[in-house]
Structures are given as structure tokens and as C-alpha cells.
Amino acid sequence: MDKTIKLRVKKEIGKDDELKVLKLKGALITKKYTEIIHIADENEDFYLNSFSTSSENEKEAEHFVLDYISDNNLKDTITLVSTKN
């Protein structure tokens, strides 16, 4: 069964952080955690990005996202919201 992982992404960010966010999304697809990432407005300050992954990949994808956020100093830009459907 697929699991949904949600990320809250700040709307107003600099070009460097915007590039890092795009690279994260590309890496999620390249590593085959997902095929598509859905983007929706959460409110005036944040986007809600979500993607589905297999239950076998859920924890690995979650750890990848958290490590990426930490390694790229994005903790004020991206927040892991949920790993549940």
C-alpha cells in the first residue's frame, strides 16, 4: 500500500534555497521514491508538497528528506509534515 509523505515548503525563499528545493524534488524522483510530486497552496506563506511512495520505501524516503533538509540548511524552509495517508 502506498504512503503519502507531505512537506511544507515556505513560499518566500531566496534563489539558492529555491534551487536546493528543486534538487530535493529531483532526487526523490531519481531515487525512485516517487514518480510525481503534487504541489498545492496551503496558505499565503506555504506550499504543501506531497508524494506517494511504497510502504517499503516510506521510512527510507523520510530519512532521505530529513537528511537533505539538515545537510542543506533548509530547516527554516522545508518541514516534514506527515508520513501517513
Side-chain angles (χ1 to χ4, degrees), residues 35-50:
E35 293 180 1
I36 189 165
I37 297 172
H38 303 278
I39 304 169
D41 283 332
E42 182 179 40
N43 56 40
E44 64 184 44
D45 297 321
F46 295 96
Y47 295 112
L48 192 60
N49 291 224
S50 61

Side-chain angles (χ1 to χ4, degrees), residues 19-82:
L19 182 58
K20 291 175 186 176
V21 170
L22 289 173
K23 285 182 178 181
L24 169 60
K25 293 176 186 180
L28 289 168
I29 293 168
T30 301
K31 290 182 175 289
K32 301 196 184 294
Y33 292 129
T34 189
E35 293 180 1
I36 189 165
I37 297 172
H38 303 278
I39 304 169
D41 283 332
E42 182 179 40
N43 56 40
E44 64 184 44
D45 297 321
F46 295 96
Y47 295 112
L48 192 60
N49 291 224
S50 61
F51 64 94
S52 295
T53 192
S54 67
S55 55
E56 296 86 29
N57 287 335
E58 177 187 12
K59 291 298 179 192
E60 184 179 335
E62 179 182 293
H63 288 294
F64 175 78
V65 169
L66 292 173
D67 288 344
Y68 189 93
I69 291 169
S70 177
D71 292 347
N72 289 279
N73 197 27
L74 292 171
K75 62 184 172 194
D76 294 331
T77 304
I78 304 173
T79 306
L80 183 65
V81 176
S82 174

Side-chain angles (χ1 to χ4, degrees), residues 2-6 49-53 58 82-85:
D2 283 352
K3 300 292 182 177
T4 300
I5 296 176
K6 297 177 185 177
N49 291 224
S50 61
F51 64 94
S52 295
T53 192
E58 177 187 12
S82 174
T83 58
K84 305 296 179 213
N85 279 343

